[in-house]
């Protein structure tokens, strides 16, 4: 289980299905999340990108290949 502020993420291990999931999460501060992932040694599959549907997002994979899309609503001063 991963907890941050009021958010709780429950993870389950299924080795036979490793790498088969994709999770989308909305965050408050994508730049801070990127910094923390970088310090933890995670490389991004997609750098911060402003999408036409109004989100700025990144993609990162866990060691099993499961993909996590982390996004924040586009703000006027957000950079790509």
């Amino acid at each position: 289980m991963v907890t941050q502020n009021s958010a709780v993420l429950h993870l389950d291990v299924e080795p036979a299905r490793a790498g088969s999931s994709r999770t989308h999460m909305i965050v408050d501060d994508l730049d801070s999340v990127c910094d923390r992932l970088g310090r933890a040694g995670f490389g991004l599959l997609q750098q911060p990108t402003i999408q036409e549907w109004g989100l700025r997002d990144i993609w990162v994979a866990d060691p099993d290949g499961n993909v996590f899309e982390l996004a924040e609503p586009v703000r006027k001063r957000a950079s790509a």
Side-chain angles (χ1 to χ4, degrees), residues 36-61:
R36 290 173 53 199
L37 288 169
R39 286 193 307 272
F42 284 89
L44 300 181
L45 300 175
Q46 173 189 286
Q47 295 297 317
T49 303
I50 296 175
Q51 304 295 347
E52 62 187 61
W53 48 86
L55 293 177
R56 179 172 174 253
D57 63 4
I58 62 170
W59 294 5
V60 64

PDB file of all heavy atoms in Angstrom, residues 36-61:
ATOM      1  N   ARG A  36      10.634  13.584  -7.868  1.00  0.00           N
ATOM      2  CA  ARG A  36      10.704  12.454  -6.938  1.00  0.00           C
ATOM      3  C   ARG A  36      10.969  11.144  -7.668  1.00  0.00           C
ATOM      4  O   ARG A  36      11.754  10.311  -7.212  1.00  0.00           O
ATOM      5  CB  ARG A  36       9.428  12.373  -6.113  1.00  0.00           C
ATOM      6  CG  ARG A  36       9.325  13.529  -5.127  1.00  0.00           C
ATOM      7  CD  ARG A  36       8.017  13.604  -4.401  1.00  0.00           C
ATOM      8  NE  ARG A  36       7.650  12.365  -3.755  1.00  0.00           N
ATOM      9  CZ  ARG A  36       6.420  12.067  -3.378  1.00  0.00           C
ATOM     10  NH1 ARG A  36       5.438  12.914  -3.588  1.00  0.00           N
ATOM     11  NH2 ARG A  36       6.164  10.926  -2.787  1.00  0.00           N
ATOM     12  N   LEU A  37      10.335  10.938  -8.821  1.00  0.00           N
ATOM     13  CA  LEU A  37      10.581   9.726  -9.602  1.00  0.00           C
ATOM     14  C   LEU A  37      12.022   9.675 -10.087  1.00  0.00           C
ATOM     15  O   LEU A  37      12.663   8.627 -10.043  1.00  0.00           O
ATOM     16  CB  LEU A  37       9.620   9.657 -10.792  1.00  0.00           C
ATOM     17  CG  LEU A  37       8.164   9.354 -10.464  1.00  0.00           C
ATOM     18  CD1 LEU A  37       7.288   9.588 -11.691  1.00  0.00           C
ATOM     19  CD2 LEU A  37       8.008   7.925  -9.956  1.00  0.00           C
ATOM     20  N   GLY A  38      12.541  10.805 -10.531  1.00  0.00           N
ATOM     21  CA  GLY A  38      13.933  10.856 -10.985  1.00  0.00           C
ATOM     22  C   GLY A  38      14.907  10.540  -9.866  1.00  0.00           C
ATOM     23  O   GLY A  38      15.858   9.775 -10.058  1.00  0.00           O
ATOM     24  N   ARG A  39      14.676  11.096  -8.682  1.00  0.00           N
ATOM     25  CA  ARG A  39      15.554  10.814  -7.535  1.00  0.00           C
ATOM     26  C   ARG A  39      15.482   9.343  -7.133  1.00  0.00           C
ATOM     27  O   ARG A  39      16.450   8.791  -6.620  1.00  0.00           O
ATOM     28  CB  ARG A  39      15.195  11.708  -6.352  1.00  0.00           C
ATOM     29  CG  ARG A  39      15.644  13.148  -6.521  1.00  0.00           C
ATOM     30  CD  ARG A  39      15.563  13.954  -5.232  1.00  0.00           C
ATOM     31  NE  ARG A  39      14.265  13.923  -4.580  1.00  0.00           N
ATOM     32  CZ  ARG A  39      13.262  14.752  -4.830  1.00  0.00           C
ATOM     33  NH1 ARG A  39      13.408  15.694  -5.741  1.00  0.00           N
ATOM     34  NH2 ARG A  39      12.127  14.661  -4.174  1.00  0.00           N
ATOM     35  N   ALA A  40      14.336   8.714  -7.394  1.00  0.00           N
ATOM     36  CA  ALA A  40      14.165   7.292  -7.048  1.00  0.00           C
ATOM     37  C   ALA A  40      14.707   6.369  -8.145  1.00  0.00           C
ATOM     38  O   ALA A  40      14.659   5.153  -8.001  1.00  0.00           O
ATOM     39  CB  ALA A  40      12.695   6.992  -6.799  1.00  0.00           C
ATOM     40  N   GLY A  41      15.195   6.954  -9.238  1.00  0.00           N
ATOM     41  CA  GLY A  41      15.806   6.148 -10.290  1.00  0.00           C
ATOM     42  C   GLY A  41      14.869   5.684 -11.395  1.00  0.00           C
ATOM     43  O   GLY A  41      15.245   4.848 -12.210  1.00  0.00           O
ATOM     44  N   PHE A  42      13.653   6.214 -11.440  1.00  0.00           N
ATOM     45  CA  PHE A  42      12.714   5.839 -12.490  1.00  0.00           C
ATOM     46  C   PHE A  42      12.916   6.734 -13.703  1.00  0.00           C
ATOM     47  O   PHE A  42      12.980   7.950 -13.583  1.00  0.00           O
ATOM     48  CB  PHE A  42      11.262   5.986 -12.015  1.00  0.00           C
ATOM     49  CG  PHE A  42      10.830   4.883 -11.100  1.00  0.00           C
ATOM     50  CD1 PHE A  42      11.014   4.988  -9.737  1.00  0.00           C
ATOM     51  CD2 PHE A  42      10.245   3.741 -11.610  1.00  0.00           C
ATOM     52  CE1 PHE A  42      10.615   3.976  -8.878  1.00  0.00           C
ATOM     53  CE2 PHE A  42       9.840   2.716 -10.771  1.00  0.00           C
ATOM     54  CZ  PHE A  42      10.032   2.832  -9.398  1.00  0.00           C
ATOM     55  N   GLY A  43      12.988   6.134 -14.874  1.00  0.00           N
ATOM     56  CA  GLY A  43      13.018   6.891 -16.116  1.00  0.00           C
ATOM     57  C   GLY A  43      11.604   7.042 -16.645  1.00  0.00           C
ATOM     58  O   GLY A  43      10.752   6.183 -16.428  1.00  0.00           O
ATOM     59  N   LEU A  44      11.353   8.140 -17.331  1.00  0.00           N
ATOM     60  CA  LEU A  44      10.028   8.381 -17.880  1.00  0.00           C
ATOM     61  C   LEU A  44       9.912   7.774 -19.273  1.00  0.00           C
ATOM     62  O   LEU A  44      10.835   7.876 -20.081  1.00  0.00           O
ATOM     63  CB  LEU A  44       9.751   9.882 -17.964  1.00  0.00           C
ATOM     64  CG  LEU A  44       9.787  10.672 -16.655  1.00  0.00           C
ATOM     65  CD1 LEU A  44       9.469  12.134 -16.918  1.00  0.00           C
ATOM     66  CD2 LEU A  44       8.829  10.087 -15.638  1.00  0.00           C
ATOM     67  N   LEU A  45       8.784   7.149 -19.536  1.00  0.00           N
ATOM     68  CA  LEU A  45       8.492   6.661 -20.885  1.00  0.00           C
ATOM     69  C   LEU A  45       8.030   7.814 -21.760  1.00  0.00           C
ATOM     70  O   LEU A  45       8.168   7.778 -22.978  1.00  0.00           O
ATOM     71  CB  LEU A  45       7.398   5.586 -20.847  1.00  0.00           C
ATOM     72  CG  LEU A  45       7.693   4.337 -20.022  1.00  0.00           C
ATOM     73  CD1 LEU A  45       6.467   3.435 -19.983  1.00  0.00           C
ATOM     74  CD2 LEU A  45       8.883   3.594 -20.594  1.00  0.00           C
ATOM     75  N   GLN A  46       7.428   8.820 -21.141  1.00  0.00           N
ATOM     76  CA  GLN A  46       6.986  10.029 -21.834  1.00  0.00           C
ATOM     77  C   GLN A  46       7.279  11.218 -20.938  1.00  0.00           C
ATOM     78  O   GLN A  46       6.863  11.240 -19.778  1.00  0.00           O
ATOM     79  CB  GLN A  46       5.493   9.969 -22.136  1.00  0.00           C
ATOM     80  CG  GLN A  46       4.945  11.270 -22.717  1.00  0.00           C
ATOM     81  CD  GLN A  46       3.446  11.262 -22.793  1.00  0.00           C
ATOM     82  OE1 GLN A  46       2.886  10.592 -23.635  1.00  0.00           O
ATOM     83  NE2 GLN A  46       2.790  11.990 -21.898  1.00  0.00           N
ATOM     84  N   GLN A  47       7.998  12.189 -21.450  1.00  0.00           N
ATOM     85  CA  GLN A  47       8.270  13.418 -20.720  1.00  0.00           C
ATOM     86  C   GLN A  47       6.966  14.202 -20.560  1.00  0.00           C
ATOM     87  O   GLN A  47       5.985  13.932 -21.257  1.00  0.00           O
ATOM     88  CB  GLN A  47       9.298  14.250 -21.489  1.00  0.00           C
ATOM     89  CG  GLN A  47      10.665  13.604 -21.604  1.00  0.00           C
ATOM     90  CD  GLN A  47      11.327  13.414 -20.255  1.00  0.00           C
ATOM     91  OE1 GLN A  47      11.292  14.300 -19.390  1.00  0.00           O
ATOM     92  NE2 GLN A  47      11.945  12.257 -20.045  1.00  0.00           N
ATOM     93  N   PRO A  48       6.924  15.196 -19.649  1.00  0.00           N
ATOM     94  CA  PRO A  48       5.701  15.978 -19.471  1.00  0.00           C
ATOM     95  C   PRO A  48       5.201  16.541 -20.803  1.00  0.00           C
ATOM     96  O   PRO A  48       5.945  17.197 -21.529  1.00  0.00           O
ATOM     97  CB  PRO A  48       6.121  17.099 -18.517  1.00  0.00           C
ATOM     98  CG  PRO A  48       7.250  16.506 -17.742  1.00  0.00           C
ATOM     99  CD  PRO A  48       7.985  15.624 -18.719  1.00  0.00           C
ATOM    100  N   THR A  49       3.952  16.223 -21.113  1.00  0.00           N
ATOM    101  CA  THR A  49       3.359  16.594 -22.395  1.00  0.00           C
ATOM    102  C   THR A  49       1.976  17.170 -22.155  1.00  0.00           C
ATOM    103  O   THR A  49       1.175  16.587 -21.423  1.00  0.00           O
ATOM    104  CB  THR A  49       3.229  15.347 -23.305  1.00  0.00           C
ATOM    105  OG1 THR A  49       4.531  14.768 -23.472  1.00  0.00           O
ATOM    106  CG2 THR A  49       2.646  15.696 -24.656  1.00  0.00           C
ATOM    107  N   ILE A  50       1.693  18.310 -22.790  1.00  0.00           N
ATOM    108  CA  ILE A  50       0.354  18.887 -22.703  1.00  0.00           C
ATOM    109  C   ILE A  50      -0.499  18.230 -23.777  1.00  0.00           C
ATOM    110  O   ILE A  50      -0.189  18.275 -24.970  1.00  0.00           O
ATOM    111  CB  ILE A  50       0.380  20.409 -22.893  1.00  0.00           C
ATOM    112  CG1 ILE A  50       1.175  21.059 -21.743  1.00  0.00           C
ATOM    113  CG2 ILE A  50      -1.042  20.974 -22.951  1.00  0.00           C
ATOM    114  CD1 ILE A  50       1.368  22.553 -21.883  1.00  0.00           C
ATOM    115  N   GLN A  51      -1.579  17.602 -23.329  1.00  0.00           N
ATOM    116  CA  GLN A  51      -2.483  16.900 -24.236  1.00  0.00           C
ATOM    117  C   GLN A  51      -3.640  17.819 -24.629  1.00  0.00           C
ATOM    118  O   GLN A  51      -4.038  18.699 -23.862  1.00  0.00           O
ATOM    119  CB  GLN A  51      -3.030  15.629 -23.563  1.00  0.00           C
ATOM    120  CG  GLN A  51      -1.964  14.686 -23.066  1.00  0.00           C
ATOM    121  CD  GLN A  51      -1.123  14.088 -24.196  1.00  0.00           C
ATOM    122  OE1 GLN A  51      -1.451  14.179 -25.367  1.00  0.00           O
ATOM    123  NE2 GLN A  51      -0.031  13.451 -23.826  1.00  0.00           N
ATOM    124  N   GLU A  52      -4.198  17.596 -25.800  1.00  0.00           N
ATOM    125  CA  GLU A  52      -5.285  18.442 -26.306  1.00  0.00           C
ATOM    126  C   GLU A  52      -6.555  18.347 -25.467  1.00  0.00           C
ATOM    127  O   GLU A  52      -7.423  19.219 -25.536  1.00  0.00           O
ATOM    128  CB  GLU A  52      -5.595  18.108 -27.761  1.00  0.00           C
ATOM    129  CG  GLU A  52      -6.076  16.685 -27.964  1.00  0.00           C
ATOM    130  CD  GLU A  52      -6.207  16.321 -29.431  1.00  0.00           C
ATOM    131  OE1 GLU A  52      -5.204  16.348 -30.152  1.00  0.00           O
ATOM    132  OE2 GLU A  52      -7.342  16.001 -29.831  1.00  0.00           O
ATOM    133  N   TRP A  53      -6.675  17.305 -24.641  1.00  0.00           N
ATOM    134  CA  TRP A  53      -7.877  17.151 -23.818  1.00  0.00           C
ATOM    135  C   TRP A  53      -7.749  17.833 -22.461  1.00  0.00           C
ATOM    136  O   TRP A  53      -8.578  17.646 -21.581  1.00  0.00           O
ATOM    137  CB  TRP A  53      -8.251  15.676 -23.642  1.00  0.00           C
ATOM    138  CG  TRP A  53      -7.105  14.793 -23.247  1.00  0.00           C
ATOM    139  CD1 TRP A  53      -6.652  14.544 -21.975  1.00  0.00           C
ATOM    140  CD2 TRP A  53      -6.272  14.057 -24.115  1.00  0.00           C
ATOM    141  NE1 TRP A  53      -5.571  13.702 -22.005  1.00  0.00           N
ATOM    142  CE2 TRP A  53      -5.313  13.379 -23.337  1.00  0.00           C
ATOM    143  CE3 TRP A  53      -6.210  13.886 -25.498  1.00  0.00           C
ATOM    144  CZ2 TRP A  53      -4.321  12.565 -23.872  1.00  0.00           C
ATOM    145  CZ3 TRP A  53      -5.217  13.075 -26.026  1.00  0.00           C
ATOM    146  CH2 TRP A  53      -4.303  12.425 -25.211  1.00  0.00           C
ATOM    147  N   GLY A  54      -6.687  18.630 -22.274  1.00  0.00           N
ATOM    148  CA  GLY A  54      -6.606  19.469 -21.082  1.00  0.00           C
ATOM    149  C   GLY A  54      -5.796  18.931 -19.928  1.00  0.00           C
ATOM    150  O   GLY A  54      -5.875  19.457 -18.827  1.00  0.00           O
ATOM    151  N   LEU A  55      -5.006  17.877 -20.162  1.00  0.00           N
ATOM    152  CA  LEU A  55      -4.129  17.355 -19.115  1.00  0.00           C
ATOM    153  C   LEU A  55      -2.676  17.460 -19.559  1.00  0.00           C
ATOM    154  O   LEU A  55      -2.358  17.362 -20.741  1.00  0.00           O
ATOM    155  CB  LEU A  55      -4.450  15.891 -18.810  1.00  0.00           C
ATOM    156  CG  LEU A  55      -5.795  15.603 -18.170  1.00  0.00           C
ATOM    157  CD1 LEU A  55      -5.985  14.099 -18.003  1.00  0.00           C
ATOM    158  CD2 LEU A  55      -5.947  16.299 -16.827  1.00  0.00           C
ATOM    159  N   ARG A  56      -1.820  17.647 -18.595  1.00  0.00           N
ATOM    160  CA  ARG A  56      -0.374  17.570 -18.794  1.00  0.00           C
ATOM    161  C   ARG A  56       0.045  16.279 -18.115  1.00  0.00           C
ATOM    162  O   ARG A  56      -0.212  16.093 -16.927  1.00  0.00           O
ATOM    163  CB  ARG A  56       0.295  18.776 -18.149  1.00  0.00           C
ATOM    164  CG  ARG A  56       1.800  18.805 -18.274  1.00  0.00           C
ATOM    165  CD  ARG A  56       2.314  20.161 -17.762  1.00  0.00           C
ATOM    166  NE  ARG A  56       3.742  20.189 -17.734  1.00  0.00           N
ATOM    167  CZ  ARG A  56       4.491  20.147 -16.635  1.00  0.00           C
ATOM    168  NH1 ARG A  56       3.913  20.111 -15.439  1.00  0.00           N
ATOM    169  NH2 ARG A  56       5.791  20.171 -16.701  1.00  0.00           N
ATOM    170  N   ASP A  57       0.692  15.351 -18.867  1.00  0.00           N
ATOM    171  CA  ASP A  57       0.934  14.038 -18.288  1.00  0.00           C
ATOM    172  C   ASP A  57       2.322  13.486 -18.594  1.00  0.00           C
ATOM    173  O   ASP A  57       3.044  13.997 -19.442  1.00  0.00           O
ATOM    174  CB  ASP A  57      -0.137  13.042 -18.727  1.00  0.00           C
ATOM    175  CG  ASP A  57      -0.174  12.785 -20.235  1.00  0.00           C
ATOM    176  OD1 ASP A  57       0.679  13.308 -20.970  1.00  0.00           O
ATOM    177  OD2 ASP A  57      -1.071  12.053 -20.676  1.00  0.00           O
ATOM    178  N   ILE A  58       2.664  12.459 -17.817  1.00  0.00           N
ATOM    179  CA  ILE A  58       3.878  11.672 -18.027  1.00  0.00           C
ATOM    180  C   ILE A  58       3.474  10.205 -17.984  1.00  0.00           C
ATOM    181  O   ILE A  58       2.404   9.861 -17.488  1.00  0.00           O
ATOM    182  CB  ILE A  58       4.954  11.934 -16.940  1.00  0.00           C
ATOM    183  CG1 ILE A  58       4.436  11.544 -15.551  1.00  0.00           C
ATOM    184  CG2 ILE A  58       5.440  13.366 -16.994  1.00  0.00           C
ATOM    185  CD1 ILE A  58       5.494  11.543 -14.460  1.00  0.00           C
ATOM    186  N   TRP A  59       4.336   9.360 -18.499  1.00  0.00           N
ATOM    187  CA  TRP A  59       4.174   7.911 -18.366  1.00  0.00           C
ATOM    188  C   TRP A  59       5.443   7.364 -17.752  1.00  0.00           C
ATOM    189  O   TRP A  59       6.549   7.758 -18.108  1.00  0.00           O
ATOM    190  CB  TRP A  59       3.976   7.244 -19.714  1.00  0.00           C
ATOM    191  CG  TRP A  59       2.712   7.577 -20.431  1.00  0.00           C
ATOM    192  CD1 TRP A  59       1.750   8.492 -20.061  1.00  0.00           C
ATOM    193  CD2 TRP A  59       2.269   7.010 -21.655  1.00  0.00           C
ATOM    194  NE1 TRP A  59       0.744   8.511 -20.986  1.00  0.00           N
ATOM    195  CE2 TRP A  59       1.030   7.616 -21.977  1.00  0.00           C
ATOM    196  CE3 TRP A  59       2.789   6.057 -22.510  1.00  0.00           C
ATOM    197  CZ2 TRP A  59       0.321   7.290 -23.126  1.00  0.00           C
ATOM    198  CZ3 TRP A  59       2.073   5.739 -23.647  1.00  0.00           C
ATOM    199  CH2 TRP A  59       0.852   6.342 -23.944  1.00  0.00           C
ATOM    200  N   VAL A  60       5.279   6.435 -16.827  1.00  0.00           N
ATOM    201  CA  VAL A  60       6.402   5.764 -16.181  1.00  0.00           C
ATOM    202  C   VAL A  60       6.020   4.299 -15.999  1.00  0.00           C
ATOM    203  O   VAL A  60       4.842   3.981 -15.856  1.00  0.00           O
ATOM    204  CB  VAL A  60       6.760   6.442 -14.826  1.00  0.00           C
ATOM    205  CG1 VAL A  60       5.639   6.330 -13.834  1.00  0.00           C
ATOM    206  CG2 VAL A  60       8.062   5.921 -14.267  1.00  0.00           C
ATOM    207  N   ALA A  61       6.999   3.413 -16.039  1.00  0.00           N
ATOM    208  CA  ALA A  61       6.723   1.979 -15.859  1.00  0.00           C
ATOM    209  C   ALA A  61       7.417   1.480 -14.602  1.00  0.00           C
ATOM    210  O   ALA A  61       8.508   1.937 -14.249  1.00  0.00           O
ATOM    211  CB  ALA A  61       7.207   1.178 -17.062  1.00  0.00           C
TER     212      ALA A  61
END
